Amino acid sequence: MIILLTGTPGTGKTTISPLLADKLGCQLVDVNQLVEEKHLHTGVDPEKNYKIVDMEALEDELSQIVSNQDDDQKGDSSKGCIIIEGHLSHYFPRADLVIVFRTEPKVLEDRLQKRDWKESKVRENLEAEALDICTWEAHQIHGSRVHEVETTKITPEETIDIILDIVNGKKSFPVGEIDFSGYLG
């Protein structure tokens, strides 16, 4: 099973993903770490100071990781689960399940400001959250396999319980139930 955890920076992916991976016994792939370790970027945006990711190289690297996992589990379908975490993970075309983490923009703003990001970078991410950018992109690629989980007022443990219910088919959180567009005024 391939699970993609995506969402705007600051929505809880990095906090929750190792806990979920441990709970499910999955291999965890941190997209940001992978980009750094394998030098899967073409430069740095001078204004916003973020790496410009080589998306084709990233997809190739993720495909290789999934392929290696498939080889390791041959003959034992009970093994083998990969969680790919990062705000770019939803671009990977292979997934059984995609979870988009969502957070109210005001709460998200506080989280991002604590990271000492430039105001322009904070603003860009708040607008992306209000406009459902990660959700929209994920849905364009993965359709009904995408679920949205609002993490604003729940603990990581509560978030994990919700995701486990989705994985086990007990609950569904389809795209379109969360609306932060009012943040834009």
Side-chain angles (χ1 to χ4, degrees):
M1 173 179 275
I2 301 170
I3 302 171
L4 308 181
L5 301 181
T6 190
T8 305
T11 55
K13 301 175 303 297
T14 303
T15 299
I16 292 164
S17 60
L19 302 171
L20 181 64
D22 186 54
K23 190 93 157 176
L24 290 172
C26 295
Q27 175 184 350
L28 176 60
V29 177
D30 177 328
V31 169
N32 291 337
Q33 185 178 10
L34 186 65
V35 166
E36 189 67 31
E37 286 176 3
K38 300 288 186 169
H39 306 287
L40 305 175
H41 51 89
T42 59
V44 176
D45 181 288
E47 186 175 313
K48 296 189 181 98
N49 198 34
Y50 59 74
K51 288 184 175 65
I52 301 167
V53 177
D54 180 338
M55 295 303 290
E56 187 175 319
L58 175 60
E59 183 178 333
D60 289 347
E61 194 65 37
L62 290 171
S63 292
Q64 186 62 46
I65 291 168
V66 169
S67 178
N68 290 344
Q69 178 79 359
D70 289 345
D71 290 345
D72 290 346
Q73 71 168 351
K74 279 191 178 160
D76 187 355
S77 60
S78 67
K79 287 184 184 176
C81 166
I82 297 178
I83 294 174
I84 302 173
E85 176 268 320
H87 75 281
L88 300 174
S89 67
H90 59 273
Y91 288 107
F92 187 59
R94 293 177 57 192
D96 297 296
L97 183 63
V98 182
I99 307 292
V100 181
F101 288 51
R102 302 294 310 278
T103 301
E104 291 176 6
K106 184 60 187 144
V107 172
L108 188 59
E109 181 176 26
D110 293 340
R111 292 178 187 175
L112 297 179
Q113 286 175 338
K114 288 178 183 171
R115 296 179 180 188
D116 291 327
W117 285 6
K118 289 182 179 181
E119 190 57 36
S120 62
K121 187 173 178 180
V122 171
R123 185 72 32 221
E124 176 184 37
N125 281 283
L126 295 176
E127 289 173 2
E129 184 66 6
L131 293 170
D132 306 336
I133 299 297
C134 287
T135 300
W136 186 84
E137 291 173 344
H139 190 263
Q140 293 301 304
I141 298 165
H142 301 283
S144 63
R145 291 173 292 194
V146 179
H147 298 261
E148 291 182 292
V149 175
E150 185 177 346
T151 60
T152 306
K153 298 176 184 171
I154 61 175
T155 66
E157 292 76 18
E158 290 169 320
T159 305
I160 290 167
D161 288 342
I162 289 169
I163 295 169
L164 291 174
D165 283 346
I166 295 168
V167 168
N168 293 321
K170 293 179 181 177
K171 291 186 180 174
S172 179
F173 296 87
V175 169
E177 299 294 317
I178 300 171
D179 181 6
F180 298 137
S181 61
Y183 172 79
L184 298 171

